[in-house]
Amino acid sequence: MKKITLRATICSFVLLATAGCAKLDEKTYGSVIIDPNNASSTADLNGVYSQLNGQTDQANTYALQEHSTDEMMGPTRGTDWGDFGTWRKLHTHTWTPSHNQVSDTWDQLNIGVFRASQVIARATDNQIKAEASFLRAYFMFQVVDLYGQQPFRDPDAPNSAIPVVFNRADATAFIIKDLEFAEANLGAAPNIGKASKAAAQALLAKVYLNKAVYTAATVGGPFTFPKEDMDKVIEYANKITAAGYTLEPAGKYFQDFAWDNSEKSNGNIFGIYNTPSNVPGSAKNRWKMGLHYNQTPDGWNGFTTLAEFYNSFQPSDERRGVAYPGLTDKVGLRAGFAVGQQYGPGGKKLTQRSGTPLVFTPEVNLNYSTEAQGIRVFKYFPHPNADGTVTDSGEDNDYVILRYADVLLEKAEAIMRGGTDPNGQTPLAIVNAIRTPRGATALGSVTEADLLAERGRELYWEGWRRNDLIRFGKFNDPVDQRPNASDKTRTLYPIPQRAVDTNPNLKQNPGY
């Protein structure tokens, strides 16, 4: 046996069977034990799971899915967060095939696809094959969603072999087959960090809901949602409900993201399982990226939401922000959106570095912001110690990728788009079942615009906003700091130029 350390410096020909390799920043993503006599070992599979840890980064997959939307931006603050325009270009839809995060995301996701394919090709145990099939489907889903093409290399092919490239429709069919195999061979899991039958069903529902986007004749639509696909969404949603997943009760919305969500969440289906002694995919980036330097804990003073998005919440909506026991009383930080005067331990009013009051304002400028501008978001948050200090490591909030509220809203959308629910639920009943416990006023009717808005309020900053906006035909609309509509070709990111240059089967996406 030998231990192989896997790094982002893997050449393109390893992942995509290309002929050359551009120089990349070296980043280690973990190691995997390759044993030719026992290729189905747990260590091989764990190497695939470890590739998920990159999903918790504030950059790459998460940034491509969120900064390009109406709910997140990364303003430059003096000399902070300039980063050669990487965040600004995402929000303004002005990225190019050489954009650093477009390239890095492509590498990270395709490493996941390739490593999962290795396990599937060599494993003899169906449980291991099924878990690897689910993981490959997840990574491939993200590639298809972001880039619209999927290079695929046979793990047993020589390094010199040029891989096939699945178009978007064929890749979607491939993903569905992987997930159907996973669903048939998986059962319950000990925690959200392991693939389960419900996880496969949740991802199947998401794939079928987006299938119209992935099989459209023209990038960016128009989209036609076949009834049989919508019925599949409903079928898988109903299976997950039957398995016992539920919404959090009134006053407990943030329990899905808190430090004890492993034990107390009723609706988290799949993600990264963290414990105090083992934190493979810490969620702390999600609060560090918005916290001001003078808050407890201190942060990076970066990303904000947009005022219009914040204003879409009713003041009574718990999801907008609440004092959270064990957090607010210890360090002054509230769960949810942070706007206005900020407070520290003991209720002390905080100041900026200049000594002026730390007041987060709705107004923000993408190019020239002060350190206090912009509404911050703390959907995940740390667990303060009894004395009010915060240990800036080992935070054990599970990182959530798939959860039940998302599945329910997908079901409501599928019914609205022509699907039939054998249980007789209506979109209105589903949406109000989510809104009412959160303190939001029940709606009298539900339109497509209402449903998109509700998905935003329920799932904000979870990495699904771009996906939703595209499906509803709203991704290219003007938003704050992007005053003009972008072209529909921007619903796909470009294939990184070095990948196109070295794999003749890859064709650059329209518009690039």
Side-chain angles (χ1 to χ4, degrees):
M1 294 194 296
K2 63 180 180 178
K3 182 178 181 180
I4 299 175
T5 301
L6 297 156
R7 304 176 187 272
T9 49
I10 291 177
C11 292
S12 295
F13 72 80
V14 176
L15 295 176
L16 313 176
T18 55
C21 180
K23 178 175 174 57
L24 301 176
D25 293 333
E26 183 176 79
K27 296 179 182 178
T28 301
Y29 287 99
S31 58
V32 58
I33 305 299
I34 303 297
D35 180 357
N37 298 314
N38 185 20
S40 62
S41 67
T42 301
D44 295 336
L45 182 62
N46 287 343
V48 186
Y49 276 109
S50 71
Q51 195 62 24
L52 282 172
N53 299 341
Q55 301 294 288
T56 69
D57 196 337
Q58 75 275 8
N60 300 333
T61 303
Y62 183 75
L64 266 58
Q65 296 285 19
E66 287 288 352
H67 277 269
S68 57
T69 76
D70 62 351
E71 69 178 28
M72 183 181 289
M73 70 171 78
T76 298
R77 304 178 188 278
T79 59
D80 294 338
W81 291 98
D83 297 332
F84 304 101
T86 184
W87 313 105
R88 297 193 301 271
K89 290 173 184 176
L90 291 178
H91 188 70
T92 57
H93 292 192
T94 55
W95 53 76
T96 68
S98 60
H99 190 281
N100 63 314
Q101 297 197 57
V102 168
S103 296
D104 290 348
T105 304
W106 173 268
D107 287 343
Q108 286 186 2
L109 295 173
N110 278 296
I111 288 172
V113 171
F114 184 71
R115 292 172 76 175
S117 295
Q118 286 181 308
V119 172
I120 293 166
R122 298 167 187 170
T124 57
D125 182 276
N126 263 4
Q127 174 71 25
I128 290 177
K129 279 182 175 287
E131 290 184 52
S133 293
F134 170 81
L135 294 171
R136 181 169 69 179
Y138 173 77
F139 289 120
M140 194 176 285
F141 172 82
Q142 290 285 5
V143 175
V144 168
D145 188 69
L146 293 165
Y147 301 96
Q149 299 177 52
Q150 177 63 66
F152 187 82
R153 177 175 176 267
D154 184 342
D156 295 324
N159 286 343
S160 59
I162 296 175
V164 299
V165 174
F166 298 146
N167 63 34
R168 215 174 190 188
D170 290 343
T172 301
F174 191 102
I175 292 166
I176 289 172
K177 285 185 178 180
D178 262 356
L179 290 173
E180 287 175 342
F181 177 81
E183 186 204 13
N185 288 278
L186 293 174
N191 54 65
I192 73 165
K194 289 292 183 182
S196 65
K197 186 181 291 292
Q201 291 162 347
L203 193 50
L204 275 163
K206 194 170 286 290
V207 172
Y208 273 108
L209 189 61
N210 287 281
K211 190 178 173 185
V213 176
Y214 303 155
T215 58
T218 305
V219 172
F223 309 129
T224 301
F225 296 86
K227 183 180 186 303
E228 58 268 26
D229 290 346
M230 299 303 98
D231 286 344
K232 278 290 189 181
V233 176
I234 296 165
E235 173 191 339
Y236 290 120
N238 286 343
K239 287 181 177 180
I240 293 169
T241 298
Y245 290 91
T246 60
L247 295 169
E248 300 301 337
K252 300 293 184 180
Y253 172 75
F254 289 102
Q255 188 59 65
D256 278 353
F257 311 97
W259 53 77
D260 53 357
N261 59 350
S262 290
E263 298 80 25
K264 294 186 177 179
S265 170
N266 300 303
N268 290 344
I269 298 172
F270 179 75
I272 301 173
Y273 178 66
N274 296 309
T275 69
S277 60
N278 183 31
V279 188
S282 175
K284 73 176 183 178
N285 282 19
R286 295 296 176 266
W287 62 78
K288 295 287 280 188
M289 64 193 190
L291 283 162
H292 186 270
Y293 315 113
N294 291 344
Q295 290 182 285
T296 302
D298 63 334
W300 304 330
N301 202 41
F303 305 157
T304 77
T305 193
L306 282 65
E308 185 176 1
F309 184 79
Y310 171 77
N311 289 333
S312 71
F313 291 78
Q314 290 180 298
S316 60
D317 194 329
E318 175 194 0
R319 298 169 297 187
R320 190 187 197 199
V322 293
Y324 196 87
L327 173 73
T328 310
D329 52 307
K330 293 284 178 55
V331 300
L333 188 67
R334 289 165 57 89
F337 294 86
V339 62
Q341 175 67 56
Q342 297 303 295
Y343 297 87
K348 177 184 177 181
K349 288 185 177 182
L350 296 177
T351 62
Q352 303 179 46
R353 289 178 293 183
S354 64
T356 58
L358 180 60
V359 177
F360 291 151
T361 65
E363 298 78 22
V364 62
N365 186 293
L366 190 60
N367 295 290
Y368 309 103
S369 277
T370 67
E371 63 183 69
Q373 287 183 314
I375 300 169
R376 316 305 167 85
V377 180
F378 306 118
K379 197 162 195 175
Y380 291 89
F381 38 82
H383 187 188
N385 300 314
D387 61 0
T389 61
V390 176
T391 304
D392 195 24
S393 63
E395 295 293 351
D396 58 332
N397 315 56
D398 287 350
Y399 185 77
V400 185
I401 295 174
L402 297 169
R403 65 187 186 94
Y404 183 59
D406 186 2
V407 172
L408 282 183
L409 287 170
E410 288 171 343
K411 177 181 175 179
E413 184 180 339
I415 297 169
M416 181 175 287
R417 296 193 187 280
T420 302
D421 178 25
N423 296 335
Q425 280 190 299
T426 65
L428 179 62
I430 294 171
V431 168
N432 282 336
I434 292 171
R435 287 177 58 83
T436 302
R438 305 296 156 238
T441 303
L443 300 179
S445 61
V446 176
T447 64
E448 280 197 14
D450 294 328
L451 192 49
L452 175 61
E454 197 59 36
R455 284 191 62 81
R457 287 186 285 265
E458 179 64 27
L459 303 168
Y460 65 91
W461 285 43
E462 293 182 45
W464 297 118
R465 187 59 173 171
R466 170 187 164 276
N467 177 271
D468 290 341
L469 289 171
I470 291 171
R471 197 172 60 254
F472 281 86
K474 305 299 289 182
F475 177 72
N476 305 102
D477 289 359
V479 298
D480 187 18
Q481 308 297 296
R482 190 177 74 238
N484 300 315
S486 63
D487 191 82
K488 282 189 175 182
T489 56
R490 293 283 146 168
T491 58
L492 280 179
Y493 286 97
I495 307 300
Q497 191 59 49
R498 57 180 169 72
V500 174
D501 291 343
T502 51
N503 183 347
N505 290 329
L506 284 167
K507 306 300 179 185
Q508 188 54 272
N509 285 326
Y512 298 101

